Amino acid sequence: MDARKIIGQTIESPGPAGGISEARAHLHGMWEAVAEAWAKHADYIDTRAAGITGKLLDLSSPRPGERVLELACGAGGVGLAAARLVTPGGEVVLSDVAASMTAIAASRAAALGVHNVRTRELDLESIDERDCSYDVVLCREGLMFAFDPAKAAREIFRVLRPGGRVALAVWGPREQNPWLKLIFDGVSAQTGKQAPPPGRPGPFSLQDKAKLADILLGAGLADVSVSELAVSTHANSFEEWMARTTALAGPLAALLASMPEAAKQGLQARLREAAGPYTTSTGLDFPGLTLLASARRK
Ligand SMILES: C[S@@+](CC[C@H](N)C(=O)[O-])C[C@H]1O[C@@H](n2cnc3c(N)ncnc32)[C@H](O)[C@@H]1O
């Protein structure tokens, strides 16, 4: 699917067939379409999420000689950090459903001189890798975009060898992540349509700790643990927050691109007011909450 054709459609119109596989392809295409912004902001993303990365690596403890799979890698920050821990002899596969994202991860690896990584185009709901082929699976802010996260968890179980570990991060409750909630709320109010649309995966699909734990337990994983981590977001200005957040969030970018100019202006005004309470002397500072989950295959 040509990603550029996707910008301009709305999430609610996934294509002529309108079925789940069309909707899935549509969502994947939206990520493809924002890959350029992920390349541009890769260092910012890794800095913002450094605390999450550190926790994911602590929870899964990749060791020299081990094989690590990063799912939904985007610009590859987590896998690139893991690559240092598995040397000598280990390997990291940076994977994403969007080929443009894995291309960015590959070029970042080359620029950083990290040689023990490969990239693969993989859908985390249907991981095209052998059974029991990884010691560690990592996924930062990706599992919540699965249409069927229980299936994705079963796939993670399948590719882990016995004794293998998984660590993943998803966004916590919408109410506790105003940096993104405000924009979705604003788009919903402006368009009169719920964003993200009901029944479609979105950033807060796995915001419930018990649901996340159940999904991992249901896949057969053991020692399941879910904890919270505060992750704040800073922007130097309202304009920077708006531009960066909407450029990076695949579904949001598509929604905004489909709005008429007057509606975009209306949205800006709404958001300026909504962001008021988060204004500081240096710009905007939002609190945020991430869920960290870890488990292992017995
Ligand atoms: C919010 S970004 C996170 C990127 C990266 N993990 C990070 O933390 O910087 C979500 C990523 O999930 C990827 N993605 C969405 N659905 C996916 C799927 N079904 N399988 C694999 N990757 C997927 C997108 O292409 C995008 O790169």
Side-chain angles (χ1 to χ4, degrees):
M1 183 173 297
D2 179 351
R4 275 145 293 272
K5 286 193 191 138
I6 284 165
I7 288 286
Q9 292 180 29
T10 63
I11 303 177
E12 297 90 326
S13 55
I20 193 82
S21 50
E22 270 295 304
R24 197 177 258 123
H26 188 72
L27 189 74
H28 297 172
M30 286 182 188
W31 285 108
E32 192 73 61
V34 293
E36 224 175 279
W38 281 77
K40 181 176 166 197
H41 296 293
D43 291 339
Y44 159 78
I45 292 157
D46 284 343
T47 305
R48 174 191 63 77
I52 303 176
T53 303
K55 290 279 184 194
L56 293 179
L57 296 179
D58 284 352
L59 288 166
S60 59
S61 36
R63 294 187 279 270
E66 289 193 323
R67 296 197 75 228
V68 176
L69 174 64
E70 183 183 7
L71 296 168
C73 70
V78 179
L80 289 170
R84 295 189 178 91
L85 302 176
V86 297
T87 53
E91 177 189 52
V92 176
V93 174
L94 306 167
S95 75
D96 198 285
V97 77
S100 311
M101 293 288 193
T102 56
I104 295 163
S107 77
R108 292 185 81 211
L112 292 167
V114 180
H115 300 300
N116 59 333
V117 299
R118 281 189 299 121
T119 56
R120 286 216 58 204
E121 204 178 314
L122 295 177
D123 184 342
L124 57 75
E125 294 188 60
S126 180
I127 303 172
D128 179 23
E129 288 281 342
R130 281 179 294 112
D131 294 357
C132 308
S133 51
Y134 286 95
D135 300 289
V136 172
V137 172
L138 297 168
C139 186
R140 186 179 75 187
E141 297 163 9
L143 189 68
M144 63 271 209
F145 296 111
F147 279 71
D148 186 347
K151 182 175 181 222
R154 290 194 297 274
E155 282 290 88
I156 291 171
F157 176 92
R158 183 183 63 73
V159 300
L160 279 175
R161 65 158 176 80
R165 294 89 66 200
V166 54
L168 54 93
V170 297
W171 286 109
R174 181 168 171 146
E175 292 303 318
Q176 286 170 270
N177 285 288
W179 64 278
L180 190 53
K181 164 195 151 50
L182 295 188
I183 302 188
F184 277 114
D185 286 357
V187 170
S188 304
Q190 192 68 40
T191 60
K193 291 182 192 156
Q194 205 176 313
R200 293 279 184 263
F204 306 115
S205 301
L206 294 177
Q207 61 175 4
D208 184 295
K209 274 167 57 173
K211 177 179 169 185
L212 180 58
D214 278 353
I215 285 171
L216 298 178
L217 285 167
L221 289 157
D223 299 339
V224 172
S225 153
V226 181
S227 58
E228 296 179 349
L229 180 72
V231 179
S232 58
T233 296
H234 173 79
N236 291 320
S237 64
F238 171 83
E239 289 75 18
E240 183 181 277
W241 165 61
M242 267 293 284
R244 194 173 57 205
T245 311
T246 54
L248 290 172
L252 265 182
L255 263 175
L256 287 182
S258 69
M259 284 171 94
E261 199 45 44
K264 280 187 199 154
Q265 301 291 335
L267 178 64
Q268 283 252 354
R270 271 178 205 281
L271 292 180
R272 230 175 243 289
E273 193 182 333
Y278 302 98
T279 305
T280 62
S281 57
T282 57
L284 289 173
D285 281 290
F286 295 102
L289 193 76
T290 285
L291 301 183
L292 298 166
S294 62
R296 74 185 178 90
R297 176 172 176 171
K298 267 194 179 156

